[in-house]
Amino acid sequence: MKSRSTSAEIEQAAEAHAPVTGTRPEGARDEKEAARRVQEMFSRIAPRYDLLNHLLSFSFDRPWRSRTARRFEHILARGDARVLDLCCGTGDLTFALERAADRAVRKGQGERDKERGASVFGSDFAPPMLELAQRKARRSNRRAIFLATDALALPFADASFDLVTAAFGFRNLANYKRGLQEIWRVLRPAGETGILEFSEPRGRVIAPMYRFYFESILPRVGGTISGNSGAYSYLPASVAQFPGPEELGDWMKRAGFADVQYERWMFGIVVLHRGRK
């Protein structure tokens, strides 16, 4: 005699086959709970976040962010431009954007004068991350402004920014499509977006090495140093769940972006996705 499936089992099976809409940390049943768990997770690991970013990426995260910023120097050089760095964490990409703006102004002017490049804002919904970003800004005499915001419900008027970026944070949104819609909404006409994210590389040699490191080494090292094993088990799971560049590109087009393109870096371990409003 066949046993009847419980409603919980049916619901779990449906969730397992449902299309990916956003990140889902283990145990999160809906978008609201997923967002809360991500916020709590990153708030807890904030004190060790920078150390582990550099250690676990072998410090490649620094040039990745710098290269991303350089791709948008044509916007950053403009003194009237406004730039928003979403899911900014402790501000590493925010500061890279500001440095690129300074470089772009120097290139155009020949000598540094009183003119500055774009105004850069960083936003995140984990207060401990923002506190660290603000401390780093004061230490380095940076002028970036940091704000506590929800990337899925940004407190900005339509057409407020010329560039919106995100580095290794977009993947943590509870609803990717709504995140793209919010980016599109706050961009000015002809404004651009740049989303830098981890991806699963291809290739018979690189792919198995990457999976072994991401699934076996990284969670152990990250968990030991941060004291939060769950956060560093979540990382490889979230990357595996995240849409590939082709699929994310399709979503960007549906959200209204034009000139959608992507660049694979480091054997495809990271991908920069770009689009224009």
Side-chain angles (χ1 to χ4, degrees):
M1 186 175 178
K2 291 183 179 179
S3 60
R4 281 186 168 183
S5 298
T6 66
S7 59
E9 288 172 337
I10 293 170
E11 189 174 338
Q12 287 173 1
E15 286 179 357
H17 293 91
V20 174
T21 57
T23 192
R24 288 294 181 274
E26 188 176 353
R29 296 177 62 85
D30 54 31
E31 287 183 15
K32 186 175 180 181
E33 189 173 357
R36 180 179 59 78
R37 285 176 181 259
V38 168
Q39 185 181 43
E40 291 173 350
M41 185 189 312
F42 282 95
S43 294
R44 285 197 300 268
I45 66 173
R48 299 286 184 186
Y49 184 74
D50 282 345
L51 169 65
L52 283 164
N53 268 357
H54 305 326
L55 176 66
L56 295 173
S57 72
F58 303 99
S59 286
F60 280 113
D61 62 307
R62 289 186 172 103
W64 291 336
R65 288 183 173 89
S66 295
R67 188 187 299 182
T68 297
R70 287 198 299 273
R71 292 293 188 270
F72 300 100
E73 282 189 352
H74 59 287
I75 297 174
L76 296 168
R78 290 168 29 207
D80 64 340
R82 286 165 53 90
V83 177
L84 176 63
D85 183 28
L86 282 179
C87 311
C88 69
T90 62
D92 280 356
L93 178 58
T94 316
F95 300 133
L97 291 163
E98 195 176 308
R99 288 192 296 270
D102 292 342
R103 272 196 314 271
V105 169
R106 286 198 297 271
K107 280 187 204 173
Q109 300 280 325
E111 292 182 5
R112 181 68 184 269
D113 61 15
K114 293 181 180 178
E115 186 176 342
R116 293 180 182 272
S119 299
V120 182
F121 300 82
S123 75
D124 202 282
F125 76 161
M129 290 285 191
L130 288 173
E131 288 170 14
L132 289 169
Q134 288 163 341
R135 275 187 232 161
K136 287 161 72 173
R138 287 193 294 270
R139 279 200 309 266
S140 305
N141 198 28
R142 285 286 157 197
R143 60 187 183 276
I145 297 171
F146 291 94
L147 308 162
T149 69
D150 179 352
L152 300 184
L154 292 169
F156 306 113
D158 295 357
S160 294
F161 297 96
D162 299 276
L163 171 64
V164 177
T165 61
F168 309 118
F170 187 88
R171 185 187 72 256
N172 300 314
L173 298 185
N175 189 310
Y176 303 137
K177 292 181 181 178
R178 200 184 328 149
L180 289 172
Q181 289 164 358
E182 274 295 271
I183 292 173
W184 190 92
R185 180 184 68 79
V186 301
L187 277 173
R188 292 170 176 163
E192 298 182 34
T193 188
I195 299 171
L196 182 66
E197 265 303 345
F198 287 115
S199 184
E200 294 197 315
R202 299 168 178 173
R204 294 180 180 178
V205 177
I206 295 298
M209 290 172 61
Y210 169 87
R211 280 193 293 271
F212 175 74
Y213 175 72
F214 238 46
E215 294 171 8
S216 302
I217 305 299
L218 184 147
R220 292 181 184 178
V221 175
T224 299
I225 295 176
S226 70
N228 189 317
S229 58
Y232 287 89
S233 297
Y234 161 79
L235 175 58
S238 67
V239 173
Q241 181 192 34
F242 191 65
E246 296 88 355
E247 184 178 3
L248 185 61
D250 287 341
W251 289 6
M252 291 174 72
K253 291 172 186 174
R254 291 192 197 112
F257 289 97
D259 301 332
V260 173
Q261 56 188 284
Y262 60 87
E263 299 177 47
R264 294 180 185 271
W265 299 342
M266 199 77 177
F267 307 104
I269 291 172
V270 291
V271 179
L272 175 62
H273 311 78
R274 297 178 60 178
R276 179 177 58 82
K277 181 171 179 177

